[in-house]
Amino acid sequence: MSQAVVSINYKKSVIDAVIAGLLALIVFGPIVGIVLDGYDFNAEPERLMWIVLTVMAGRLAASVFFQTSKGAAFLYKHSSKEEGVHVLPPGHKSKLRWIIPLTIVIALLVPFIASKYILTVVILGLIYVLLGLGLNIVVGLAGLLDLGFVGFYAIGAYGLALGYEHLGLGFWSMLPISAIIAAIFGAILGFPVLRMHGDYLAIVTLGFGEIIRLVLTNWTEVTQGPNGMNAPLPTFFGMEFKRRASEGHVPFHEFFGIPYSSVYKYIFIYLVLLLVVLGVLYVKKRLTKMPIGRAWEALREDEIACRSLGLNHVLVKLSAFMIGASTGGLAGVFFATYQGFVNPSSFTFFESALILAIVVLGGMGSTLGVVIAAFVLTVAPELLREFADYRVLAFGMLMVLMMIWKPRGLVRMTRTGVEQREGNVK
Amino acid sequence: MDIILQQLVNGLSLGSVYGLIAIGYTMVYGIIGMINFAHGDVYMVSAYVTAIAIALLSFFGIESFPVVILGTLIFTIFVTGVYGWVIERVAYRPLRGSSRLSILISAIGMSLILQNYVQISQGAKQQGVPTLLSGAIRFDVGDGFVQLTYMKLFILCASFIGMGVLTYIIQKTKLGRMCRATQQDPKMASILGIDTDKIISTVFVIGATMAALAGVLVTLDYGGFDFYVGFIIGIKAFTAAVLGGIGSLPGAMLGGIILGLSEALFAGLISSDYKDVFSFSLLVIILIFRPSGLLGKPEVEKV
Amino acid sequence: MSNAVIRKTLVSLAVAGSVTLAHADVVIGVAGPHTGAYAAFGAQLWNGASAAAKAINDAGGIDGEMIKLVKADDACEPKQAVSVANRLVDSDEAVAVVGHFCSSSSIPASNIYEEAGVLQVTPASTNPGYTDRGLPNVFRVCGRDDQQGDVAASYIVDTLGAKNVAVIHDKGTYGKGLADAMKSTLNAYGVKEVLYEGLTRGEKDFNALVTKIRSVDADVVYFGGLHSEAGPFVRQLREQGSKAVFISGDGIVSEEFVSVAGSPKYVDGVLMTFGADPTSYAAGKEVVNQFRADGIEPEGYVMYSYAAMQVVAEALKQADLDPIKAADWLHGHKVETVMGTKSFDEKGDLLVSDYVMYEWDDKGKYSMLDM
């Protein structure tokens, strides 16, 4: 970029601002300025004025800024497409390699220092980490936009409740079974949609998520419909975390001769969940280095090229769907046991959008980003209860701005380069 | 017999509304290949604007039905059209050339923004508009009767007129020719001197005006609405667009009517519990076996 | 607008601060939807409970201990209900809770209160599942959906003498629970419903369902659901020329019902079951006047919430502030409240339900029917 002095056309900026103000008046005028009250209305000119003035001031500032050389540089930087994966030099050692063991140690200590309330918030955060990781495989790595991911979450959660209710199975049996059932549903969904891509896929998966929720709501004989079902707590070698254990079981606190506290159950859920999350993180890290992971990403970037190179796209897509779905199922089981109760209202489309927001904001394909985003999006609303009304609005704005500013998310996916080796084939 | 006929009437009026909203999806998809996820919420905004227009008109003492309906239509269509333009400008144009995934996510974000912005400004309560036109035509069929309200008749007429005008614009006018050219080959169209950005904006505005027409009609007919109405009807309208073949204008209308009729018949003859499961399954099945829909052209994958 | 938000935050911080400072007091949570779509109901709960707490504190508190209220927001989401319940029992060390509002929040939260040995009295959750799970610590000062269903069913059979009853619900926890309760009482009377179906919340076109109702010649339509669907539904029923009597529950008690229906003429003659007017009790006259003097209309659940707080305070007083003993005490004793004398059965439900039938008129108002 040359540092040539750019003259700023203020007249143009002012015209821009006036036009923006007029548009804001038309757009916000009826909805913000006139509040319906029965068949009547109340005028709210003051807040309308503030919004219009903000828009005008913002447009004026932006218009002037983009005419300066800095602004032009900014525009140039962000209009360039950030495609593909950022490759680091061979032998690159991440600065984060000390942070990972440190985080794990802190994570292990959390239940013993945090209060029960903080612990439950962190558990919820970890559940969303799991969901984000699952969807990240499907959307971030394989590039298959899934808007019905909440369906697998629901299958996992209801798997635990139904298995307990109808088959008498507990947490430990249902944890793997639910994951497998979710994976099977992933395959059922995956097969027919293989031929589709992009937007069609998004709508079909959205339909699938809604179908699952509607069936859970309507199939009252089995799922008790909107009344919801109770879900069991995990047991520790057959010991229950209740004040009074059910028949044939010993309560955990009596066995160890310590006074009863409900915090033990959350500590236990937390530790199991942490182990599962670490396991999933590890598996995912390995998967991205294995041929299957590379195939996912290749398919995301160019499906036709992959197929002409002989990649079995059926297998590749199905595996992404199934692994993603089973992770969602695991998260569902933990959600059900944590809440002790499931009902269909926890599995609406908004939940899918929230998980998608985690993946997108974190950076599609990036594990670290997903972990950070999951915690930010679940913990922040807890801290900012007063702003809860604006939470969803902020989500929406973040999604739009993030796509404009950094289409690939906060933390870009990176890959360590490979040193060229002498092969046998010359 | 009278029951089946009545269900056909129900289905036809519901279907014509689906068709009107489906036009917005199908035109936008045809021209830039994206699903405008926020389109259902544009419809929702138009429902609010309708109620506001009626409240304003009655505030100024205007009560006669033709004036109120005309004033409401003009006001709503204008405001909603501007919404369509602004949404395209803010959330989609900066992303032109990005991957389809990014644009779709931006659209989902836009949909959340619209819903919550309306919820915050207007409150989370249920809203309604007063009944402007009541009364019905009654046909006696055998022992029973079929009732067609004047409002339903009005919906049918207005949506077919709207469709007719739009078809004329697209098929016969210069603007329509430019739209079709951009749809077929945006690069070539721009070389030939068509401002494609402007055409894309126009298409968004047209889609929004059709949604506004549907918004006025439905709001007057059903009375009640809230900030969440756009979601379900948006998905249904999208299903209609896909059913008819996305990108095809007559397809959208045909798909809407088929979907409306089959929903009414399914709910009436089998179960209204599983009506939505039926519509979503229909969508999935069509996409699997005939992704190009009834009247659409098969998509050719280009390298 | 942002100024107001900041001020609100500061106030809530100050409230939170004062709560932690005054730890020796009796901490009671008021849990409900203080934000979100049902925030109006959360405000009713808070108004009732805080007025009662103030009155009790002015009269010397519970055995000299002052009541400190903590606002707990669940936004009517089960997930958040669990989270705030944990915060109440853990960080705030509440001994009792007045709330929650939605049944789908009260039920999961009650498990946490039970484990922590906290007394829970809800002023508004009517789902039978709340008390039917046999928890020792749960009570309610409102009716149950099945009691409401009983009243509606006996009215349909005895007063209306209806033969063809169509039962419709909105597939929600509340709506379906209500419709099912009504249906089972109806069947016990020997009347079999001619139609039992659900509609989808959020939709507005119920014409297909209405035609189906016409096809079975229903003379009574019972709807379990909220006014958002009841309005368009009853309108479409009338527009298709059906004259069936439309009956629903307390989910349509809102003036929005009329505006959603499009005109008062459509709601004319609609019947609904609802608790006897809570402001009509002699015991509550003074409190009602006090509310009006303070500029608060004691509508909806305000008085219920007031009564719930009185029940909590009385039980804690009798049990020396031990919530587990207080729950035991409540199972066998009567409590005087602003809504009359309340006594509870072994599950924690009211022994006497106060549901009566109301009718809407062509002005868009409702009034109690003499039965």
Side-chain angles (χ1 to χ4, degrees):
Chain A
M1 294 290 295
S2 67
Q3 285 298 314
V5 183
V6 193
S7 68
I8 297 170
N9 186 348
Y10 285 105
K11 193 179 152 204
K12 179 181 172 294
S13 299
V14 171
I15 293 173
D16 279 350
V18 170
I19 291 174
L22 269 179
L23 283 173
L25 198 65
I26 297 170
V27 166
F28 295 114
I31 303 281
V32 178
I34 298 168
V35 177
L36 287 167
D37 181 18
Y39 296 153
D40 237 338
F41 64 90
N42 303 316
E44 299 254 8
E46 194 186 330
R47 61 180 197 181
L48 174 65
M49 193 185 73
W50 281 115
I51 288 189
V52 171
L53 285 181
T54 316
V55 168
M56 284 177 78
R59 185 71 184 95
L60 187 69
S63 179
V64 171
F65 176 68
F66 287 136
Q67 288 181 38
T68 62
S69 55
K70 258 192 187 153
F74 182 84
L75 268 187
Y76 176 78
K77 199 172 141 211
H78 289 289
S79 63
S80 59
K81 302 285 169 294
E82 301 179 54
E83 288 293 342
V85 177
H86 184 58
V87 180
L88 300 167
H92 171 85
K93 292 262 193 303
S94 166
K95 287 181 200 124
L96 290 173
R97 66 185 191 282
W98 298 112
I99 293 178
I100 291 169
L102 195 70
T103 324
I104 294 175
V105 170
I106 293 175
L108 283 172
L109 287 176
V110 162
F112 304 104
I113 30 179
S115 72
K116 191 172 104 186
Y117 167 64
I118 293 180
L119 194 58
T120 55
V121 174
V122 176
I123 289 177
L124 213 54
L126 279 181
I127 289 173
Y128 279 95
V129 169
L130 214 46
L131 285 169
L133 288 175
L135 188 61
N136 200 7
I137 292 174
V138 184
V139 179
L141 292 179
L144 305 162
L145 185 50
D146 186 345
L147 292 181
F149 196 67
V150 77
F152 304 121
Y153 186 38
I155 287 170
Y158 264 91
L160 178 65
L162 288 169
Y164 177 66
E165 180 83 23
H166 296 286
L167 306 170
L169 294 172
F171 175 81
W172 290 108
S173 345
M174 284 319 293
L175 190 62
I177 296 176
S178 287
I180 292 168
I181 295 173
I184 292 171
F185 270 90
I188 293 174
L189 173 66
F191 251 120
V193 302
L194 284 177
R195 297 203 301 173
M196 300 164 207
H197 36 95
D199 306 355
Y200 279 107
L201 181 77
I203 295 296
V204 171
T205 49
L206 192 158
F208 170 79
E210 287 292 302
I211 288 174
I212 298 237
R213 189 175 63 80
L214 288 168
V215 168
L216 288 176
T217 312
N218 287 321
W219 197 10
T220 341
E221 299 82 41
V222 176
T223 63
Q224 296 173 20
N227 286 337
M229 304 181 76
N230 288 319
L233 285 170
T235 52
F236 180 66
F237 294 109
M239 285 176 268
E240 292 190 347
F241 289 90
K242 291 182 188 160
R243 191 185 292 273
R244 292 172 290 272
S246 52
E247 239 171 89
H249 290 279
V250 185
F252 176 80
H253 60 284
E254 277 179 21
F255 186 85
F256 285 98
I258 42 179
Y260 171 79
S261 164
S262 61
V263 81
Y264 300 142
K265 125 184 141 189
Y266 290 113
I267 294 181
F268 186 63
I269 292 178
Y270 174 83
L271 291 176
V272 176
L273 181 56
L274 187 65
L275 278 180
V276 170
V277 169
L278 289 176
V280 169
L281 278 174
Y282 179 75
V283 168
K284 213 202 117 199
K285 191 169 165 346
R286 298 302 307 162
L287 276 176
T288 50
K289 295 203 168 153
M290 281 162 60
I292 185 78
R294 304 203 184 235
W296 286 338
E297 287 183 60
L299 208 65
R300 172 189 71 199
E301 297 301 330
D302 196 334
E303 177 166 349
I304 295 167
C306 284
R307 284 167 70 173
S308 23
L309 287 173
L311 212 60
N312 185 346
H313 73 293
V314 176
L315 215 61
V316 174
K317 280 187 180 175
L318 265 190
S319 61
F321 257 112
M322 289 176 72
I323 293 175
S326 62
T327 316
L330 283 179
V333 174
F334 278 102
F335 177 69
T337 193
Y338 154 78
Q339 191 165 276
F341 170 85
V342 284
N343 82 349
S345 70
S346 303
F347 307 106
T348 54
F349 170 72
F350 174 70
E351 209 70 13
S352 280
L354 175 61
I355 306 168
L356 187 67
I358 289 174
V359 173
V360 172
L361 298 182
M364 278 183 260
S366 152
T367 312
L368 178 70
V370 166
V371 174
I372 296 173
F375 271 100
V376 168
L377 289 190
T378 46
V379 176
E382 290 290 329
L383 300 177
L384 299 171
R385 284 217 163 266
E386 203 58 33
F387 297 94
D389 283 347
Y390 297 85
R391 189 179 63 158
V392 184
L393 191 67
F395 273 163
M397 287 186 175
L398 262 179
M399 280 168 97
V400 174
L401 290 178
M402 207 64 194
M403 283 303 103
I404 294 171
W405 179 48
K406 280 197 167 191
R408 296 241 164 193
L410 264 185
V411 182
R412 266 190 78 185
M413 194 180 172
T414 54
R415 198 182 262 294
T416 310
V418 187
E419 292 222 44
Q420 290 191 342
R421 280 177 295 191
E422 296 278 313
N424 290 332
V425 185
K426 298 273 174 176
Chain B
M1 185 61 202
D2 57 323
I3 294 304
I4 301 269
L5 277 176
Q6 181 77 59
Q7 292 292 22
L8 289 179
V9 169
N10 298 339
L12 209 58
S13 70
L14 182 63
S16 58
V17 170
Y18 285 161
L20 281 179
I21 305 174
I23 288 169
Y25 284 107
T26 220
M27 285 187 73
V28 167
Y29 191 90
I31 205 150
I32 53 173
M34 71 165 279
I35 294 173
N36 183 7
F37 211 88
H39 189 61
D41 298 291
V42 170
Y43 157 84
M44 179 271 298
V45 167
S46 77
Y48 273 85
V49 177
T50 304
I52 287 166
I54 292 175
L56 279 175
L57 287 171
S58 81
F59 177 74
F60 291 116
I62 301 167
E63 300 287 348
S64 88
F65 176 74
V67 181
V68 172
I69 192 101
L70 204 68
T72 308
L73 268 175
I74 292 171
F75 184 72
T76 309
I77 285 177
F78 174 68
V79 172
T80 316
V82 174
Y83 262 91
W85 189 86
V86 170
I87 290 170
E88 195 271 338
R89 185 70 192 79
V90 171
Y92 305 147
R93 194 180 294 182
L95 283 165
R96 188 114 348 122
S98 298
S99 73
R100 282 177 161 195
L101 202 63
S102 315
I103 304 179
L104 188 63
I105 287 166
S106 179
I108 295 171
M110 204 62 224
S111 152
L112 292 178
I113 290 175
L114 283 177
Q115 272 178 29
N116 284 277
Y117 140 73
V118 172
Q119 184 196 349
I120 291 168
S121 357
Q122 295 282 331
K125 55 187 179 188
Q126 292 290 320
Q127 308 282 2
V129 293
T131 312
L132 295 178
L133 183 65
S134 50
I137 314 171
R138 191 176 161 127
F139 304 100
D140 287 308
V141 182
D143 313 332
F145 59 91
V146 174
Q147 195 130 327
L148 177 63
T149 57
Y150 295 133
M151 198 60 225
K152 291 260 181 300
L153 204 61
F154 183 70
I155 289 187
L156 285 174
C157 296
S159 45
F160 280 107
I161 292 171
M163 272 303 296
V165 170
L166 185 62
T167 313
Y168 173 79
I169 292 174
I170 295 296
Q171 295 298 336
K172 303 283 177 200
T173 63
K174 194 176 160 207
L175 177 71
R177 252 198 316 281
M178 292 202 289
C179 283
R180 281 179 290 143
T182 312
Q183 175 170 359
Q184 278 175 7
D185 193 336
K187 224 173 233 165
M188 194 62 209
S190 65
I191 291 170
L192 292 176
I194 296 172
D195 185 347
T196 47
D197 270 349
K198 209 168 162 183
I199 292 299
I200 291 171
S201 290
T202 314
V203 164
F204 269 87
V205 172
I206 293 176
T209 50
M210 287 293 138
L213 181 58
V216 174
L217 296 175
V218 173
T219 310
L220 287 179
D221 187 25
Y222 300 149
F225 59 94
D226 55 42
F227 63 91
Y228 204 60
V229 285
F231 179 67
I232 292 184
I233 209 161
I235 299 275
K236 295 280 174 66
F238 182 77
T239 308
V242 173
L243 183 60
I246 198 152
S248 149
L249 267 187
M253 208 58 199
L254 182 71
I257 285 170
I258 290 179
L259 185 71
L261 283 176
S262 51
E263 265 194 5
L265 291 176
F266 186 87
L269 301 177
I270 302 169
S271 152
S272 78
D273 284 330
Y274 284 94
K275 188 188 71 177
D276 294 344
V277 176
F278 167 75
S279 329
F280 288 131
S281 310
L282 193 69
L283 171 72
V284 173
I285 290 166
I286 292 162
L287 282 180
I288 292 166
F289 292 106
R290 204 180 152 77
S292 48
L294 296 173
L295 301 181
K297 289 180 228 93
E299 198 179 344
V300 184
E301 273 181 48
K302 282 175 271 192
V303 182
Chain C
M1 186 165 352
S2 62
N3 246 333
V5 172
I6 291 166
R7 225 181 304 132
K8 261 169 131 185
T9 317
L10 288 176
V11 170
S12 71
L13 283 176
V15 169
S18 67
V19 167
T20 33
L21 284 177
H23 226 64
D25 299 314
V26 185
V27 180
I28 296 176
V30 180
H34 299 297
T35 63
Y38 304 95
F41 293 112
Q44 291 179 0
L45 256 53
W46 177 253
N47 285 340
S50 56
K54 185 171 175 292
I56 293 163
N57 283 345
D58 287 349
I62 305 173
D63 286 341
E65 305 276 351
M66 292 294 137
I67 298 177
K68 283 282 165 195
L69 292 186
V70 181
K71 206 183 237 189
D73 177 29
D74 65 10
C76 263
E77 284 176 22
K79 189 172 76 184
Q80 295 202 35
V82 171
S83 178
V84 292
N86 271 312
R87 197 173 55 177
L88 275 179
V89 301
D90 186 46
S91 321
D92 300 324
E93 298 181 12
V95 290
V97 172
V98 172
H100 299 214
F101 176 76
C102 292
S103 296
S104 51
S105 294
S106 289
I107 294 172
S110 64
N111 290 329
I112 290 157
Y113 300 135
E114 194 254 345
E115 272 168 18
V118 167
L119 178 66
Q120 183 185 9
V121 181
T122 175
S125 296
T126 49
N127 190 276
Y130 171 63
T131 46
D132 278 355
R133 288 164 308 144
L135 299 183
N137 64 317
V138 295
F139 296 89
R140 61 175 132 214
V141 294
C142 51
R144 284 165 58 106
D145 288 341
D146 39 8
Q147 294 169 338
Q148 206 175 148
D150 288 347
V151 173
S154 60
Y155 189 85
I156 290 171
V157 175
D158 296 339
T159 313
L160 297 174
K163 293 280 172 291
N164 291 342
V165 182
V167 181
I168 312 294
H169 61 87
D170 71 351
K171 303 186 201 169
T173 312
Y174 163 77
K176 188 164 186 309
L178 190 60
D180 285 349
M182 200 310 280
K183 183 167 84 101
S184 68
T185 318
L186 197 68
N187 295 346
Y189 278 114
V191 178
K192 180 96 182 78
E193 76 279 357
V194 288
L195 186 69
Y196 177 77
E197 289 220 10
L199 49 80
T200 308
R201 271 173 87 168
E203 279 204 345
K204 301 292 171 204
D205 186 290
F206 310 120
N207 277 307
L209 188 59
V210 165
T211 304
K212 205 171 177 183
I213 290 170
R214 264 179 51 196
S215 75
V216 295
D217 282 329
D219 38 26
V220 167
V221 176
Y222 186 81
F223 177 66
L226 303 172
H227 59 273
S228 44
E229 281 72 42
F233 185 32
V234 72
R235 172 180 180 157
Q236 287 161 30
L237 202 64
R238 297 293 174 250
E239 280 181 346
Q240 280 199 27
S242 166
K243 293 191 172 55
V245 180
F246 190 86
I247 305 183
S248 189
D250 57 1
I252 64 169
V253 186
S254 165
E255 291 193 347
E256 288 169 24
F257 176 50
V258 183
S259 64
V260 172
S263 166
K265 74 177 179 194
Y266 293 114
V267 305
D268 184 21
V270 168
L271 300 172
M272 65 180 179
T273 46
F274 184 45
D277 184 0
T279 58
S280 67
Y281 292 93
K285 270 279 168 292
E286 261 175 55
V287 175
V288 169
N289 291 337
Q290 184 60 43
F291 269 123
R292 293 202 171 125
D294 293 344
I296 296 169
E297 179 56 32
E299 56 176 351
Y301 294 96
V302 173
M303 297 300 282
Y304 285 95
S305 178
Y306 197 104
M309 183 55 82
Q310 286 181 310
V311 168
V312 167
E314 182 63 23
L316 287 176
K317 187 177 173 187
Q318 298 293 338
D320 297 329
L321 299 178
D322 180 341
I324 296 175
K325 279 191 203 144
D328 283 344
W329 183 84
L330 272 181
H331 284 293
H333 293 81
K334 291 178 175 170
V335 184
E336 294 295 328
T337 73
V338 289
M339 290 177 64
T341 310
K342 300 285 175 199
S343 49
F344 302 92
D345 65 8
E346 68 281 0
K347 286 192 292 189
D349 293 321
L350 286 180
L351 280 177
V352 186
S353 99
D354 60 350
Y355 282 114
V356 290
M357 200 56 92
Y358 283 77
E359 185 175 17
W360 290 81
D361 59 21
D362 56 359
K363 306 271 184 309
K365 301 281 175 224
Y366 54 87
S367 54
M368 225 144 92
L369 280 185
D370 296 324
M371 285 172 74

